[in-house]
Amino acid sequence: MSLNKAQRRITSEELKAHFHESTLTENDIAQLTGMTVSEVNQVLELKASKGIFSKDMQAFILRVWEVRDVINENIKSKGVQPKAYTFLKGEKEDYWFLR
């Protein structure tokens, strides 16, 4: 998942819109994913570690997908189909670097 600045902005806006559509709080997402609230907020803002080859980059990318999945499941539990994301397509299992 290599996104340029504009793509990261769009993805962050989409994550936040889905989050607001859900009934979850940042704390709920943190508890469901094992993240801290700070990490959840970093994901929603798409504020990854500096450096393209950061050792933490793969973990951050996985957190993005985990947050997306938790939010989507919450929206689906209300009987609503979440809107498609522009760049977060498919399932994380489809991407070799997230396995």
Side-chain angles (χ1 to χ4, degrees):
M1 184 175 104
S2 179
L3 302 176
N4 65 36
K5 187 175 182 177
Q7 291 168 328
R8 288 191 306 271
R9 180 186 50 76
I10 290 167
T11 301
S12 174
E13 290 170 359
E14 290 172 343
L15 280 168
K16 288 187 252 181
H18 283 81
F19 171 67
H20 292 299
E21 187 179 342
S22 78
T23 60
L24 298 166
T25 65
E26 290 97 337
N27 193 52
D28 293 332
I29 295 172
Q31 290 179 0
L32 290 166
T33 61
M35 295 179 205
T36 65
V37 171
S38 176
E39 288 170 329
V40 171
N41 285 318
Q42 286 176 324
V43 167
L44 292 172
E45 294 292 332
L46 247 63
K47 298 289 184 196
S49 303
K50 298 292 182 200
I52 193 162
F53 296 110
S54 169
K55 67 179 188 236
D56 297 324
M57 185 58 72
Q58 185 173 356
F60 179 78
I61 293 168
L62 183 58
R63 287 194 292 268
V64 170
W65 285 86
E66 289 173 346
V67 167
R68 180 204 79 151
D69 290 349
V70 166
I71 292 171
N72 281 353
E73 285 305 314
N74 178 268
I75 293 169
K76 288 177 187 175
S77 75
K78 299 185 317 182
V80 178
Q81 185 63 31
K83 294 180 181 103
Y85 287 83
T86 304
F87 301 106
L88 298 179
K89 303 276 187 199
E91 302 300 324
K92 65 181 174 276
E93 293 80 12
D94 297 335
Y95 298 91
W96 64 269
F97 54 87
L98 296 175
R99 291 188 205 148

